[in-house]
């Protein structure tokens, strides 16, 4: 989780590989202890007021090959499939990939990822503003996806509603409610992203056996390293 109730993380590990262990050791699955302390205080405050909090979770997938998805078929574009999968989670109201909405505020010279080549790394980029996708396909950079979750609607301080029979004003029913479900939604988000990536992977490399899948995958890696003219 990177934001809760308007409180955003201010720091994160320098390497993506460090994130899972830190997240699993946090009650909010947050990698910034200072921000987490303020989030917990906000949860306690909202609980006392009978209110709820929304937030944003982030899912990162590393080690992806170049070319998962499609730049041709609208329904196979990976970014579209990821957005659909995450938006299908209850209470999710927004999805962004990479810098997402922030890119809309930048000029093109500051919004795109330049491509480089060297003999050791092959084709690569030194920035990842696009979040690991371009033209509906993976770029080989880490895939970074975020989803915004609204506050839960079942408040202990009920909101106004209307009786569907009498049309008179009533208060909404008070039912059991957590203050926030964002940390739990992040776990679901990880699973949804994994399903989408697995589908896209098998579309590209699928065969009758795991050995055949591995052979197709390794051949693809060799090809993209040198390009069609190599």
């Amino acid at each position: 989780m990177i934001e809760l109730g308007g409180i955003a993380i201010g720091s994160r590990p320098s390497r993506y590989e460090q994130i899972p262990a830190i997240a699993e050791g946090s009650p909010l699955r947050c990698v910034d202890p200072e921000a987490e302390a303020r989030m917990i205080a906000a949860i306690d405050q909202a609980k006392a007021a009978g209110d709820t909090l929304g937030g944003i979770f982030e899912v990162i997938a590393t080690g992806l090959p170049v070319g998962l998805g499609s730049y041709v078929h609208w329904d196979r574009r990976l970014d579209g499939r990821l957005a659909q999968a995450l938006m299908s989670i209850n209470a999710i109201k927004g999805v962004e990939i990479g810098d997402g909405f922030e890119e809309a505020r930048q000029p093109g010279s500051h919004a795109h990822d330049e491509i480089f080549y060297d003999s050791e790394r092959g084709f690569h980029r030194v920035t990842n503003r696009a979040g690991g996708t371009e033209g509906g396909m993976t770029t080989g950079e880490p895939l970074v996806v975020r989803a915004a979750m609204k506050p839960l609607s079942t408040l202990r301080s009920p909101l106004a509603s209307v009786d569907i029979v009498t049309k008179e004003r009533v208060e909404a029913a008070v039912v059991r409610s957590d203050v926030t479900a964002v940390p739990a939604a992040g776990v679901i988000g990880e699973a949804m992203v994994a399903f989408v990536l697995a589908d896209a992977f098998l579309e590209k490399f699928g065969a009758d056996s795991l050995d055949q899948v591995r052979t197709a995958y390794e051949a693809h890696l060799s090809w993209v390293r040198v390009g069609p003219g190599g």
Side-chain angles (χ1 to χ4, degrees), residues 50 53 108 128 137 154 159 194:
L53 299 174
N128 190 29
M137 304 176 72
T154 49
L159 300 175

Side-chain angles (χ1 to χ4, degrees), residues 86-101:
L86 290 170
M87 287 291 286
S88 73
I89 301 172
N90 293 347
I92 299 301
K93 291 299 183 181
V95 174
E96 69 174 4
I97 299 175
D99 288 351
F101 290 104

Side-chain angles (χ1 to χ4, degrees), residues 9-12 22 26 30-40:
I9 63 172
S11 64
R12 61 172 66 225
I22 298 174
S26 160
C30 177
V31 297
D32 181 350
E34 189 275 331
E36 181 180 61
R38 292 189 288 123
M39 291 175 184
I40 291 174

Side-chain angles (χ1 to χ4, degrees), residues 150-205:
K150 70 173 184 175
L152 298 172
S153 57
T154 49
L155 280 67
R156 289 190 295 110
S157 297
L159 300 175
S161 186
V162 176
D163 188 298
I164 61 173
V165 176
T166 67
K167 311 300 188 296
E168 294 178 352
R169 182 188 182 282
V170 296
E171 289 187 340
V174 177
V175 298
R176 177 193 176 278
S177 177
D178 296 320
V179 175
T180 185
V182 181
V187 177
I188 300 170
E190 290 178 355
M192 296 302 288
V193 170
F195 280 132
V196 171
L197 293 177
D199 281 343
F201 187 91
L202 291 177
E203 282 175 3
K204 192 167 188 67
F205 306 114

